[in-house]
Amino acid sequence: MDERQLRILRELGELGSVSAVAEALHVTPSAISQQLRLLQRSLPVPLTERAGRRVVLTDAGQALAEAAIEVESALARARHTLTDFAGRPDGVVSVAAFHSAASAFFPLLLRGLVGPDGPRLALADEDVPQDRFPALTRDHDLVLAHRLDHGAPWPRTVASTTLLREPLDVALPAGHPLAARPEVTPGDVADQPWITVHDGFPLMATIEAIASVANRRLDIVHRINEFAVVAEAVAAGGGLALLPRWTARAHPDVVLRPLTGVHALRRIDVLHRPERTARKAVRTVLAALHSAAAAVRGHEGDAAPRPAGD
């Protein structure tokens, strides 16, 4: 049993097929199969079994794959002990984020981590459905992901901490009759045209909750993921939308109003593989993200959102 074999077993548990593991690790499927056979010879219980045409983990294989996370973490800590001991927080740290989080957090990171001895950032935007965020930790040290506050937790294969619990408000044109109200209900907004994200993205569950509470199907006329574009469409009269209170950039012709009657909150979490924080540079950036979250939230707390033009 060696580190590479355990890594392959872990990846098989996450990706679900030998071919997917081979693609992720840039080797051939036959090489993956050979390493699995070598690992199996050293152990008394079956680690894999056939499920149709695929090879999947048995319960014993899954248990060993989870233990492999601890092994990789321990080995990563050992590799970086000397660097940490010498007090060198430098090194490249890759950070990926979905669009609105990237817009809010990336400038704060770039300004807050300047200096010759600090981490060097490699930033990337990744706008993916919710279930694909954990896989991004394979290619990035830290991944900013979002999910609804009451949604399913992230898988145990990744570590996560929450940066923000951000309210989702209804965005209306500044001249809309509902803009004069301090808050709106599902019944108030259910008969309006709507601009929503694409299916598979977290905000859709809140849209569905609005329809359920109002007991009617919403008229979804536009599907737009980028919140800056959503705000422009709302301002032009294209419909109402849900926008995050703190991370969406304010538009002078758009008003945000709190939504009552449904649980309209999203979490912005930072995901990473447990072994990545063995590097001091990664821990430095993680701490900077938490400081940036406080700046993004500012002093608003859970107060009402900004009016148009603020």
Side-chain angles (χ1 to χ4, degrees), residues 10 30 35 46 80 105 124 146 248 265 274 281 300:
R10 174 184 177 180
S30 61
Q35 290 299 317
H80 294 289
F105 282 88
H146 57 145
L265 281 171
E300 292 186 79

Side-chain angles (χ1 to χ4, degrees), residues 9-294:
L9 196 71
R10 174 184 177 180
E11 298 291 353
L12 180 59
E14 291 186 27
L15 298 175
S17 74
V18 168
S19 59
V21 175
E23 182 177 354
L25 299 183
H26 307 291
V27 297
T28 64
S30 61
I32 296 297
S33 297
Q34 181 182 20
Q35 290 299 317
L36 289 172
R37 285 193 297 270
L38 291 172
L39 177 60
Q40 182 63 74
R41 289 175 189 172
S42 65
L43 298 168
V45 294
L47 299 177
T48 61
E49 60 186 6
R50 284 281 178 182
R53 300 179 63 183
R54 295 189 304 121
V55 174
V56 298
L57 298 184
T58 63
D59 289 344
Q62 185 62 50
L64 185 57
E66 292 179 5
I69 297 175
E70 299 178 8
V71 172
E72 284 200 63
S73 297
L75 289 171
R77 284 193 297 271
R79 293 189 186 100
H80 294 289
T81 294
L82 291 178
T83 299
D84 282 356
F85 182 78
R88 293 175 52 196
D90 57 336
V92 176
V93 177
S94 58
V95 183
F98 60 97
H99 290 156
S100 59
S103 178
F105 282 88
F106 284 179
L108 294 172
L109 285 182
L110 289 167
R111 296 187 186 107
L113 293 171
V114 295
D117 298 324
R120 289 170 288 152
L121 294 171
L123 305 177
D125 64 325
E126 292 281 2
D127 190 33
V128 299
Q130 182 175 335
D131 59 0
R132 289 176 55 192
F133 278 113
L136 295 177
T137 61
R138 185 173 295 107
D139 300 317
H140 302 281
D141 294 309
L142 301 170
V143 175
L144 272 63
H146 57 145
R147 64 182 178 91
L148 292 185
D149 191 51
H150 58 287
W154 302 110
R156 291 182 298 171
T157 53
V158 297
S160 68
T161 57
T162 297
L163 297 175
L164 288 175
R165 293 177 69 246
E166 184 177 28
L168 301 171
D169 295 321
V170 175
L172 311 102
H176 195 283
L178 293 175
R181 301 187 183 185
E183 58 187 26
V184 294
T185 69
D188 295 330
V189 299
D191 62 346
Q192 303 286 318
W194 275 85
I195 305 164
T196 73
V197 296
H198 293 276
D199 289 331
F201 290 79
L203 267 62
M204 276 307 300
T206 302
I207 294 292
E208 292 162 1
I210 293 171
S212 177
V213 172
N215 196 30
R216 62 175 298 166
R217 185 175 181 178
L218 299 188
D219 179 20
I220 297 175
V221 293
H222 306 295
R223 297 272 190 168
I224 303 170
N225 274 19
E226 173 54 59
F227 288 141
V229 181
V230 171
E232 293 292 347
V234 171
L240 308 189
L242 285 178
L243 286 180
R245 184 175 299 178
W246 300 318
T247 55
R249 184 168 297 178
H251 191 291
D253 299 318
V254 173
V255 173
L256 300 185
R257 289 293 175 257
L259 177 65
T260 64
V262 297
H263 193 76
L265 281 171
R266 74 170 180 178
R267 289 177 184 263
I268 297 181
D269 296 332
V270 56
L271 312 182
H272 60 85
R273 292 196 166 195
E275 64 271 18
R276 298 296 179 104
T277 51
R279 294 177 57 209
K280 189 170 185 178
V282 175
R283 297 198 303 273
T284 300
V285 176
L286 184 57
L289 282 170
H290 282 279
S291 297

